[in-house]
Amino acid sequence: MNKIAVVGAGISGLSIANYLEKHQLDYHIYERRKKDDLTGHGFLLPKEGIDYLSQIIEPSVLFKHGNFLKKYIRYSHNGKILAQKDLNDVFVISRSALIHILAHNIPAEKISYEETVMPCPIQKGKLRKQDGTYIDSDVTIVSDGSKSRIRREIFQEETMKTVQENEIVNIIKCKDIAASLEDNFMKYHHEDGGLTFGILKLSEDTVLWYCQFDNKKYKISETSSVESLKSHMFEIFKDWDPMVSSIVKGSNYENVHLWRVYELEKLNPFYKDNTVFIGDAAHPLIPFTSQGVTSALKDSFVLTQYLASEKNSSDAFRKYEAERKPEIEIHIRNGRILLDQFLKPLDQQTENILPISYK
Ligand SMILES: Cc1cc2nc3c(=O)[nH]c(=O)nc-3n(C[C@H](O)[C@H](O)[C@H](O)COP(=O)(O)OP(=O)(O)OC[C@H]3O[C@@H](n4cnc5c(N)ncnc54)[C@H](O)[C@@H]3O)c2cc1C
């Protein structure tokens, strides 16, 4: 029997596995995707996130795979600079690079890929694998993402609602654009509100761009095929500053992705019996906060500390929730404020607002 079963090998599952490894606690991770299926785009990591990562990853390895941003520049949609702010230790890295680095430290026998874990319909509180066998563990750490099936099964009264904002994200290869961005995080805003375009350099030849849009104003087809996302982008950004419209027109759309954003109307408890939730499975955060990854890392760190120091898991879970929930509630509140700002016309928005939620 494995003492601790971890469900999901995203950032939270892999980071807690790294911490458990460090504390020599026995665990096994179950992940439904294939080992090399590393989709996703990129994350902004404020200093706190880098500090937590540096405890489990060699900083020089981390820094080789991403980029530090020096300045945030806020533009109007026609290219006028509205505000600028120096950034201290804000790091950007692709999701695939970070997952790859975190997975590197996990011994192969402690992780099973292509293994979907489901709640057992008959025996409440038990989890089972695809072959029908139960997972027999003292503690289950659930890190299966924002739409966690296990969470929905345990907390059946929860309500998830769609957020009035969606994102289209893309990663492109282009040395010239990467060089022209220097280390700036550039974000363009439509004067009527509800539409932005952000650009960041991931490496010397890789750029991440994303568009945030009010999904009531800018309706998108249900199919969200590459072609429909491309024409959506062409249409809404055709008259923007040439920096934006040329990137939108000149991009390869092979990696494009539409994020539909959801949030929990009310947070659930972070644990029930022998099951504890971390990362998006415990608390989906809207992208405006830029805190999804840092919060996942912090959950992993705090929970592992208590699992290692407390005599029983229920004390560890209680202390973990008491420490983490108040901070998450702040990020949820900040996220709603940032969303509210985003939906307003530009002249009613607070100036110099950073697209990151700080406690
Ligand atoms: C494919 C993907 C791409 C993403 N891309 C971005 C991005 O570009 N930018 C950004 O800011 N955020 C992105 N995110 C969200 C971001 O990763 C999270 O907000 C944050 O890192 C917290 O991660 P998490 O580990 O809690 O959840 P997630 O990253 O969602 O990871 C959950 C993991 O659990 C696995 N899983 C789900 N159900 C089961 C099951 N029943 N059994 C076993 N395994 C299961 C999933 O395959 C996944 O690997 C992405 C998430 C995913 C899943």
Side-chain angles (χ1 to χ4, degrees):
M1 179 171 95
N2 281 114
K3 204 167 161 43
I4 300 173
V6 180
V7 183
I11 305 298
S12 17
L14 288 171
S15 61
I16 202 158
N18 276 268
Y19 285 118
L20 294 170
E21 192 70 37
K22 210 172 144 185
H23 284 268
Q24 297 178 326
L25 294 171
D26 185 23
Y27 67 91
H28 192 92
I29 319 185
Y30 302 89
E31 166 56 51
R32 83 175 162 199
R33 69 178 156 82
K34 290 193 172 125
K35 185 173 183 206
D36 296 324
D37 184 3
L38 300 177
T39 50
H41 293 86
F43 306 124
L44 278 183
L45 283 172
K47 179 167 186 326
E48 217 183 356
I50 303 167
D51 291 345
Y52 282 103
L53 271 177
S54 301
Q55 298 189 29
I56 43 179
I57 297 176
E58 184 53 50
S60 60
V61 174
L62 178 68
F63 299 157
K64 228 172 40 202
H65 286 86
N67 187 33
F68 276 98
L69 300 170
K70 301 269 165 44
K71 197 189 276 179
Y72 172 60
I73 312 178
R74 181 175 159 93
Y75 292 91
S76 70
H77 80 276
N78 46 22
K80 187 174 152 224
I81 294 183
L82 303 172
Q84 306 193 38
K85 195 166 172 45
D86 288 336
L87 296 173
N88 284 326
D89 294 332
V90 174
F91 188 65
V92 60
I93 186 165
S94 74
R95 185 175 189 271
S96 56
L98 189 51
I99 293 221
H100 182 76
I101 302 172
L102 284 169
H104 185 73
N105 298 336
I106 312 296
E109 68 279 9
K110 291 193 183 177
I111 183 160
S112 306
Y113 289 99
E114 299 179 63
E115 186 75 87
T116 303
V117 173
M118 287 298 164
C120 170
I122 303 161
Q123 273 187 279
K124 280 224 170 304
K126 283 243 171 216
L127 295 175
R128 63 180 177 133
K129 300 192 263 180
Q130 282 136 305
D131 64 5
T133 54
Y134 293 120
I135 293 189
D136 202 6
S137 58
D138 294 339
V139 164
T140 305
I141 298 175
V142 179
S143 53
D144 59 349
S146 60
K147 290 196 193 148
S148 169
R149 233 172 111 193
I150 301 167
R151 187 191 69 224
R152 280 182 285 151
E153 184 65 30
I154 293 184
F155 302 111
Q156 292 188 1
E157 292 85 50
E158 76 168 35
T159 315
M160 271 213 115
K161 48 178 201 166
T162 53
V163 173
Q164 197 185 330
E165 182 252 353
N166 286 162
E167 303 207 356
I168 295 175
V169 201
N170 201 0
I171 286 188
I172 55 168
K173 287 266 177 211
C174 183
K175 269 194 176 154
D176 292 345
I177 299 175
S180 73
L181 291 174
E182 297 175 0
D183 293 316
N184 296 326
F185 173 6
M186 299 161 80
K187 198 164 172 195
Y188 292 77
H189 299 68
H190 196 283
E191 61 193 19
D192 296 337
L195 187 62
T196 65
F197 187 85
I199 326 164
L200 316 142
K201 182 169 94 177
L202 281 174
S203 70
E204 294 312 310
D205 65 351
T206 314
V207 170
L208 180 152
W209 62 246
Y210 67 100
C211 141
Q212 299 172 314
F213 61 98
D214 173 346
N215 53 23
K216 284 197 179 154
K217 247 192 214 170
Y218 302 95
K219 293 204 170 17
I220 193 148
S221 82
E222 276 305 309
T223 57
S224 72
S225 63
V226 168
E227 273 316 307
S228 70
L229 294 179
K230 192 170 165 178
S231 44
H232 186 77
M233 291 297 296
F234 277 33
E235 181 53 34
I236 56 183
F237 291 104
K238 63 175 188 266
D239 299 325
W240 283 45
D241 183 70
M243 176 75 179
V244 176
S245 56
S246 64
I247 291 179
V248 166
K249 272 210 189 116
S251 288
N252 180 329
Y253 280 74
E254 204 176 49
N255 293 315
V256 76
H257 180 75
L258 170 70
W259 279 99
R260 295 185 195 276
V261 184
Y262 299 90
E263 65 171 356
L264 278 175
E265 206 156 81
K266 191 171 161 287
L267 284 179
N268 297 305
F270 284 7
Y271 65 95
K272 175 113 198 291
D273 304 325
N274 73 335
T275 303
V276 62
F277 295 84
I278 60 170
D280 283 7
H283 46 70
L285 290 173
I286 65 172
F288 283 114
T289 62
S290 299
Q291 283 287 354
V293 174
T294 303
S295 298
L297 294 167
K298 220 164 160 181
D299 289 353
S300 299
F301 173 80
V302 172
L303 179 59
T304 310
Q305 295 288 322
Y306 287 129
L307 285 172
S309 63
E310 293 300 313
K311 282 201 188 74
N312 58 58
S313 53
S314 43
D315 285 346
F317 294 177
R318 188 172 43 76
K319 290 190 173 176
Y320 156 70
E321 183 186 80
E323 186 165 333
R324 294 296 299 136
K325 214 170 184 184
E327 187 181 320
I328 294 297
E329 278 162 347
I330 294 175
H331 291 317
I332 292 176
R333 266 201 309 279
N334 286 348
R336 288 179 182 152
I337 293 169
L338 290 167
L339 171 67
D340 184 58
Q341 289 284 322
F342 161 79
L343 295 171
K344 283 184 178 158
L346 207 50
D347 59 5
Q348 291 173 32
Q349 293 181 18
T350 315
E351 259 196 29
N352 220 2
I353 198 164
L354 265 184
I356 300 179
S357 151
Y358 287 106
K359 295 179 279 172

